[in-house]
């Protein structure tokens, strides 16, 4: 790696190229912000995307790995504290400049991962939330481990499951994606495999050995051959199925179907809130929905309806509109305050109930605050 590349690296993102046999290389991106559980800042997003863009055109790069420097978390989401600070500093500005830059570049990165031609391995051990799931979901080879804890808990901070959530939640079995979006319920490795968010179950302690094996692999000149090579290698490291945790989503699949079968959002929310069974995972999910932002629940439902027949690029384009509008409405700043700033866990949502949300109010979230869409070039 030349010195100019080293000079541009962030303390929070390490980018390296490892020499492999035959002159090929392995590209490795390591998130390294352990205090924030590797939460994504705009600078981190730019560093990751810059490396992927550069390597896409480098014939020597056979395979890319995206991981974090710790076992505790891959990525706990976006840096919502900084986003909130920017929103509070410029109230009423739509779109907020930092919010627009952050979400536009984050979604552009996520879209690049979904459409990347070369094999891209994301090691999803530990906590994978929000923006972290945006990095994992679109990768060609997604590893989950015994420590994986996935969630899209945006309802707790007045946002909605973005970063392509409208795409992958809608493709989960049955109505499980709707349930997970509404409740922010956590998923383990078995859930990820069942829901289509993971491809391989490996033990967390094997990560260094896997990277070593990737460095020693005989990579080829074509991406297709390298996809197959990576698949074979990861399957060779597969952990025994006996080590998989019980999948909550799969175990409670029928219950989820029953709780979400009603044709309207108020009926579904009422059914989940009325859950009186003895499954702790469902109890916690019902509690999270009851405490969450009503407008976020409405957005989960609306996005599910509006994105049903959209392409991946169109999903990201719509999510960008809704994301910057969320930052212009009161719930986001209030939700982050209650959860992360003051930590009183007592948010005052506006509107305070589903019944108080008018169709006109919700339509505001889908109004594009620009004439030319910033992601118009995605396809």
């Amino acid at each position: 790696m030349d010195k100019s590349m080293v000079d541009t690296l962030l303390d929070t993102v390490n980018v390296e190229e490892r020499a492999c046999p035959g002159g090929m290389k392995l590209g490795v991106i390591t998130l390294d912000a352990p205090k924030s559980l590797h939460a994504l800042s705009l600078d981190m997003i730019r560093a990751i995307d810059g490396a992927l863009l550069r390597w896409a055109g480098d014939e020597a790069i056979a395979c890319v790995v995206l991981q974090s420097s710790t076992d505790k978390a891959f990525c706990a989401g976006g840096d919502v504290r900084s986003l909130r600070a920017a929103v509070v500093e410029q109230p009423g500005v739509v779109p907020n400049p930092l919010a627009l830059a952050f979400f536009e570049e984050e979604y552009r990165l996520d879209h690049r991962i979904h459409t990347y031609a070369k094999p891209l391995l994301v090691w999803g051990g530990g906590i994978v939330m929000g923006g972290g799931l945006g990095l994992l979901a679109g990768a060609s080879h997604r590893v989950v481990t015994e420590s994986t804890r996935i969630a899209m808990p945006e309802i707790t901070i007045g946002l909605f499951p973005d970063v392509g959530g409208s795409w992958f939640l809608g493709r989960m079995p049955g109505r499980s994606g709707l349930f997970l979006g509404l409740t922010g319920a956590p998923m383990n490795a078995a859930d990820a495999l069942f829901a289509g968010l993971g491809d391989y179950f490996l033990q967390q302690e094997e990560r260094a050995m896997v990277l070593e094996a990737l460095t020693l692999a005989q990579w080829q000149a074509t991406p297709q051959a390298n996809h197959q090579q990576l698949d074979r290698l990861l399957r060779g490291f597969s952990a025994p199925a006996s080590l998989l945790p019980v999948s909550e989503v799969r175990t409670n699949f029928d219950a989820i179907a029953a709780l979400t079968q009603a044709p309207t959002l108020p009926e579904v929310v009422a059914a989940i809130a009325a859950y009186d069974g003895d499954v702790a995972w469902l109890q916690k999910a019902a509690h999270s929905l009851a405490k969450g932002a009503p407008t976020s629940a409405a957005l989960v439902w609306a996005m599910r309806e509006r994105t049903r027949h959209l392409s991946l690029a169109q999903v990201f384009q719509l999510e960008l509109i809704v994301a910057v509008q969320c930052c212009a409405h009161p719930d986001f700043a209030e939700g982050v305050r209650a959860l992360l700033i003051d930590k009183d866990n007592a948010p005052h949502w506006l509107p305070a109930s589903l019944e108080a949300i008018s169709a006109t109010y919700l339509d505001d979230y889908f109004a594009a605050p620009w004439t030319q869409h910033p992601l118009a070039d995605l396809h």
Side-chain angles (χ1 to χ4, degrees), residues 117-237:
K118 297 183 178 185
L120 174 54
L121 162 61
V122 173
W123 189 280
I127 295 168
V128 186
M129 296 171 64
L133 189 52
L135 299 177
L136 173 75
S140 61
H141 297 71
R142 303 164 299 180
V143 169
V144 289
T145 77
E146 73 280 2
S147 67
T148 295
R149 295 293 180 271
I150 292 174
M152 291 294 282
E154 286 77 12
I155 194 161
T156 62
I157 57 168
L159 277 176
F160 69 105
D162 63 332
V163 295
S166 310
W167 175 265
F168 56 75
L169 288 175
R171 282 158 177 76
M172 289 181 179
R175 293 165 79 88
S176 57
L178 172 62
F179 181 84
L180 293 166
L182 286 173
T183 64
M187 289 174 274
N188 57 34
D191 292 319
L193 295 174
F194 178 69
L197 290 176
D199 304 303
Y200 308 89
F201 176 57
L202 277 61
Q203 290 182 269
Q204 186 69 21
E205 64 184 21
E206 301 273 23
R207 178 162 58 144
M209 292 181 64
V210 171
L211 277 172
E212 179 68 15
L214 292 175
T215 306
L216 296 174
Q218 293 283 347
W219 299 104
Q220 306 300 313
T222 63
Q224 183 179 2
N226 291 333
H227 275 274
Q228 295 169 352
Q229 165 87 316
L230 180 57
D231 174 66
R232 284 192 296 270
L233 190 149
L234 291 174
R235 282 191 283 115
F237 278 94

Side-chain angles (χ1 to χ4, degrees), residues 5-61:
M5 192 182 299
V6 175
D7 289 343
T8 63
L9 296 187
L10 292 172
D11 291 338
T12 50
V13 178
N14 299 315
V15 178
E16 56 182 312
E17 297 176 1
R18 300 187 183 184
C20 303
M24 302 301 284
K25 295 178 182 178
L26 180 71
V28 181
I29 303 170
T30 306
L31 309 183
D32 191 18
K35 288 185 179 179
S36 68
L37 301 179
H38 315 292
L40 294 171
S41 67
L42 181 55
D43 284 342
M44 291 170 71
I45 290 167
R46 287 171 173 168
I48 299 165
D49 198 43
L52 290 180
L53 188 59
R54 184 168 65 248
W55 288 338
D58 185 344
E59 293 183 359
I61 297 291

Side-chain angles (χ1 to χ4, degrees), residues 20-359:
C20 303
M24 302 301 284
K25 295 178 182 178
L26 180 71
V28 181
I29 303 170
T30 306
L31 309 183
D32 191 18
K35 288 185 179 179
S36 68
L37 301 179
H38 315 292
L40 294 171
S41 67
L42 181 55
D43 284 342
M44 291 170 71
I45 290 167
R46 287 171 173 168
I48 299 165
D49 198 43
L52 290 180
L53 188 59
R54 184 168 65 248
W55 288 338
D58 185 344
E59 293 183 359
I61 297 291
C63 175
V64 175
V65 176
L66 177 55
Q67 62 172 0
S68 77
S69 61
T70 63
D71 290 335
K72 184 176 182 180
F74 165 58
C75 174
D79 181 9
V80 292
R81 290 171 181 264
S82 296
L83 270 179
R84 180 189 183 273
V87 169
V88 171
E89 282 177 13
Q90 294 181 289
V93 176
V94 189
N96 177 276
L98 177 64
L100 175 57
F102 181 88
F103 289 117
E104 177 194 343
E105 296 187 43
E106 181 183 30
Y107 297 173
R108 191 175 290 281
L109 166 60
D110 294 337
H111 183 268
R112 192 179 313 285
I113 290 172
H114 274 272
T115 57
Y116 210 61
K118 297 183 178 185
L120 174 54
L121 162 61
V122 173
W123 189 280
I127 295 168
V128 186
M129 296 171 64
L133 189 52
L135 299 177
L136 173 75
S140 61
H141 297 71
R142 303 164 299 180
V143 169
V144 289
T145 77
E146 73 280 2
S147 67
T148 295
R149 295 293 180 271
I150 292 174
M152 291 294 282
E154 286 77 12
I155 194 161
T156 62
I157 57 168
L159 277 176
F160 69 105
D162 63 332
V163 295
S166 310
W167 175 265
F168 56 75
L169 288 175
R171 282 158 177 76
M172 289 181 179
R175 293 165 79 88
S176 57
L178 172 62
F179 181 84
L180 293 166
L182 286 173
T183 64
M187 289 174 274
N188 57 34
D191 292 319
L193 295 174
F194 178 69
L197 290 176
D199 304 303
Y200 308 89
F201 176 57
L202 277 61
Q203 290 182 269
Q204 186 69 21
E205 64 184 21
E206 301 273 23
R207 178 162 58 144
M209 292 181 64
V210 171
L211 277 172
E212 179 68 15
L214 292 175
T215 306
L216 296 174
Q218 293 283 347
W219 299 104
Q220 306 300 313
T222 63
Q224 183 179 2
N226 291 333
H227 275 274
Q228 295 169 352
Q229 165 87 316
L230 180 57
D231 174 66
R232 284 192 296 270
L233 190 149
L234 291 174
R235 282 191 283 115
F237 278 94
S238 290
S242 60
L243 295 180
L244 268 173
V246 173
S247 168
E248 296 284 4
V249 178
R250 190 171 200 160
T251 301
N252 298 295
F253 191 73
D254 290 344
I256 289 170
L259 292 171
T260 57
Q261 68 179 352
T264 69
L265 176 62
E267 290 175 287
V268 169
V269 170
I272 295 174
Y275 174 75
D276 60 357
D278 55 5
V279 178
W281 185 77
L282 291 175
Q283 291 171 350
K284 291 177 181 176
H287 179 70
S288 296
L289 175 55
K291 289 192 65 177
T295 300
S296 292
L299 288 173
V300 169
W301 188 270
M303 289 298 283
R304 184 172 179 271
E305 296 298 315
R306 290 177 182 238
T307 61
R308 194 181 300 275
H309 302 296
L310 297 187
S311 68
L312 177 65
Q314 289 170 329
V315 166
F316 279 117
Q317 289 160 357
L318 184 59
E319 285 188 348
L320 183 60
I321 295 171
V322 179
V324 297
Q325 289 291 1
C326 280
C327 290
H329 286 73
D331 278 353
F332 170 64
E334 173 61 8
V336 175
R337 179 206 65 76
L339 186 69
L340 299 174
I341 308 298
D342 298 336
K343 299 182 180 179
D344 58 20
N345 290 312
H348 298 284
W349 304 122
L350 289 173
S353 68
L354 280 179
E355 294 73 26
I357 300 173
S358 68

